Amino acid sequence: MSDGLRLVGFEELSAGALRGRLLARRAEFWAGSPLADDDVLALHDPVFFHQLGGFGALALTPDDEDAGYLLGVVSADRLAVVQAVAVRPDRRGAGVATQLLERFAGLAAGVGARVVQAVARPDDAAAAALAARLGAHAAPSPGHAGPGADRVVFTRGLPLR
């Protein structure tokens, strides 16, 4: 990986400790996000660390500092869903999120996923830029998260390459 970073699957880590560590630093990882703190907390359901951790990954610096992470899952109908991607501010723009997404997409395609999808708020410029770099199609989804809670659904066929 770039800058000596390495990706580690959640299955190699202690799920509860990792979730606690990432949530303790959520203000840093999610700095600049349009999401409220309660929304960020909701993204980190324990199931993504315990039962679905095989699709999640942590990007670590050479001195074992957390640089970024991804939570995701593949559904029974072969849809790869990105639940959350976060990168520490001092590591943004270095390709960390792209590498996490490429790892996830590779794992997902390996278990038969045909498409990768993510949902974001319409005002999430970082999510839109990342999705565009990966060639995802953006589709508005009015009321996706409830009345008045519009979202954008980003979709990209697999494999990525």
Side-chain angles (χ1 to χ4, degrees):
M1 282 189 68
S2 63
D3 297 330
L5 294 176
R6 61 189 170 91
L7 297 182
V8 179
F10 284 3
E11 72 279 2
E12 298 180 37
L13 305 165
S14 169
L18 175 62
R19 181 176 181 266
R21 188 168 86 211
L22 296 176
L23 286 177
R25 296 181 64 193
R26 70 185 178 274
E28 178 183 1
F29 275 104
W30 292 86
S33 168
L35 295 177
D37 189 56
D38 286 347
D39 295 328
V40 171
L41 284 170
L43 289 173
H44 295 78
D45 189 291
V47 74
F48 286 97
F49 295 86
H50 295 282
Q51 287 80 16
L52 305 175
F55 291 105
L58 180 67
L60 292 169
T61 66
D63 57 350
D64 289 329
E65 287 289 321
D66 303 333
Y69 62 95
L70 179 142
L71 308 176
V73 65
V74 176
S75 69
D77 60 350
R78 299 185 295 159
L79 174 64
V81 179
V82 176
Q83 171 76 358
V85 178
V87 176
R88 209 170 70 198
D90 65 329
R91 295 290 179 159
R92 292 179 186 162
V96 177
T98 298
Q99 291 176 33
L100 286 164
L101 284 161
E102 287 174 347
R103 177 194 182 274
F104 174 67
L107 289 173
V111 297
R114 301 169 286 121
V115 174
V116 64
Q117 198 169 73
V119 176
R121 290 176 40 141
D123 58 349
D124 193 334
L130 179 60
R133 277 196 306 278
L134 293 172
H137 170 73
S141 185
H144 186 98
D150 299 345
R151 297 294 184 262
V152 176
V153 178
F154 299 102
T155 305
R156 169 73 161 78
L158 292 175
L160 288 184
R161 297 178 190 237

